[in-house]
């Protein structure tokens, strides 16, 4: 499964929130002002459908779209690719980057330790 482009991701984030919708619903949910043209969003949705991210139910010539992949499934895929591509498959490198670059507070670090300890016990 391919990584989403920025425009595809914007549309998917809306579809994940709406659960299903017509192109006009997606356009209305976009925060853009002015709104993008109908044909632009329609093209993005058709690409998502072609790439098996989105399915549809036809009502004559009108289509109602819905996600075929959950946000959680995509997050897992994207995260694995990000860790592999940018951190050489090293979660230690990722965590080190987060701690250094995000300037975590002692409270944040404590919460991370708690999460790790809770998940070790599971």
């Amino acid at each position: 499964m391919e990584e989403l482009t920025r425009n595809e991701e914007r549309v998917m984030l809306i579809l994940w929130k709406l659960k299903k919708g017509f192109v006009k619903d997606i356009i209305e949910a976009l925060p853009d002002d002015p709104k993008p043209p109908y044909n632009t969003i329609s093209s993005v949705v058709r690409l998502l459908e072609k790439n098996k991210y989105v399915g549809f139910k036809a009502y004559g010539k009108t289509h109602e779209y819905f996600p075929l992949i959950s946000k959680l499934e995509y997050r897992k895929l994207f995260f694995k690719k990000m860790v592999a591509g940018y951190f050489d498959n090293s979660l230690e490198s990722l965590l080190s980057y987060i701690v250094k670059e995000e300037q975590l507070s002692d409270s944040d670090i404590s919460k991370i330790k708690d999460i790790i300890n809770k998940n070790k016990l599971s």
Side-chain angles (χ1 to χ4, degrees):
M1 191 164 264
E2 294 179 32
E3 190 174 327
L4 297 171
T5 66
R6 182 177 297 170
N7 284 332
E8 290 170 339
E9 187 175 288
R10 289 176 67 217
V11 169
M12 284 304 298
L13 287 168
I14 289 168
L15 279 175
W16 284 319
K17 188 189 303 184
L18 296 176
K19 308 285 191 250
K20 60 183 177 176
F22 299 94
V23 171
K24 68 177 183 62
D25 300 323
I26 296 167
I27 293 169
E28 286 174 19
L30 285 168
D32 304 5
D33 192 25
K35 300 291 185 187
Y38 182 95
N39 288 343
T40 300
I41 301 304
S42 180
S43 294
V44 172
V45 172
R46 284 194 308 273
L47 280 171
L48 289 166
E49 189 257 323
K50 178 184 169 203
N51 290 327
K52 307 289 187 227
Y53 281 100
V54 167
F56 67 89
K57 183 174 180 180
Y59 299 95
K61 292 183 179 182
T62 305
H63 294 94
E64 183 177 41
Y65 297 95
F66 53 88
L68 292 175
I69 182 172
S70 72
K71 189 175 181 179
L72 179 61
E73 289 171 309
Y74 183 72
R75 184 180 358 182
K76 285 180 184 179
L77 258 170
F78 178 75
F79 187 75
K80 284 181 183 180
K81 285 183 179 181
M82 183 192 66
V83 171
Y86 293 98
F87 300 98
D88 300 322
N89 273 329
S90 169
L91 292 176
E92 182 181 333
S93 292
L94 170 65
L95 190 54
S96 174
Y97 173 81
I98 291 170
V99 170
K100 288 177 187 171
E101 295 299 321
E102 296 301 317
Q103 300 174 352
L104 299 178
S105 68
D106 289 340
S107 172
D108 291 333
I109 293 170
S110 179
K111 288 176 187 174
I112 291 170
K113 286 178 183 178
D114 288 345
I115 291 168
I116 291 169
N117 288 329
K118 284 179 188 172
N119 284 301
K120 275 194 333 190
L121 300 175
S122 310

